[in-house]
Amino acid sequence: MRRGKVVTHCRNGQRGSTRSTKAAALSFIQRQGATTQIGVVAFAGFAELIQPPTTDQEVLEDAVASLITARRTAIGSGILKSLDAIAEIDPSVAPSVRDAASELQPAPVPAGAYAPAIIVLLTDGASNTGPLPLDAAQQAADRGVRVYTIGFGT
């Protein structure tokens, strides 16, 4: 299976930090191998899959270029939407669970085991809406998906 990566971008921000975040995302995309699938998830008050995982770098660059700012910062929603995008291309990764009290949780992967997919989270703010980021990150960890966070701006 090809490695999958999802770039998760915060849409809440100042013009300068948005330019920096887009430049970082584009640099990341351009440095990946031709067979690496990359998706783009944007989040502000909610998360949205902008580009499902693909190997087409031109499509990915267009998706990043189309990102705009919005209000609020739902980091947890961004992580969960990213997990769902990864689950679509990797059947060994369970989709996210939105209501932990009413849904069956998947069994965590063994300690030290990792899925071949990662989430790169680019944000310029503190989470102020949606699921708690630590709860969403725990779901990623339970599935063996590593989350790398890059902060920009103030």
Side-chain angles (χ1 to χ4, degrees):
M1 189 193 107
R2 293 180 275 194
R3 291 181 50 156
K5 300 179 182 183
V6 177
V7 176
T8 308
H9 174 268
C10 175
R11 296 186 293 185
N12 175 25
Q14 308 282 333
R15 182 182 307 260
S17 63
T18 300
R19 261 187 259 136
S20 298
T21 306
K22 284 183 179 183
L26 290 171
S27 175
F28 175 80
I29 290 166
Q30 292 161 353
R31 287 181 298 168
Q32 302 309 304
T35 61
T36 301
Q37 295 186 64
I38 301 171
V40 178
V41 171
F43 61 96
F46 61 93
E48 182 177 6
L49 180 62
I50 303 299
Q51 176 58 55
T54 180
T55 59
D56 187 332
Q57 289 196 349
E58 186 175 329
V59 168
L60 291 163
E61 290 169 4
D62 288 345
V64 170
S66 74
L67 296 172
I68 59 170
T69 59
R71 294 185 181 264
R72 314 208 58 189
T73 304
I75 293 173
S77 296
I79 293 170
L80 296 178
K81 185 65 76 172
S82 298
L83 275 177
D84 292 341
I86 291 167
E88 287 288 322
I89 63 168
D90 184 348
S92 71
V93 175
S96 68
V97 175
R98 304 296 170 160
D99 183 5
S102 66
E103 292 187 54
L104 183 62
Q105 298 286 331
V109 298
Y114 298 104
I118 66 170
I119 296 170
V120 180
L121 178 78
L122 305 170
T123 184
D124 63 354
S127 190
N128 57 21
T129 191
L132 294 174
L134 286 177
D135 292 346
Q138 186 62 57
Q139 285 197 45
D142 288 348
R143 289 156 178 77
V145 175
R146 292 161 288 175
V147 179
Y148 296 96
T149 304
I150 301 169
F152 286 88
T154 56

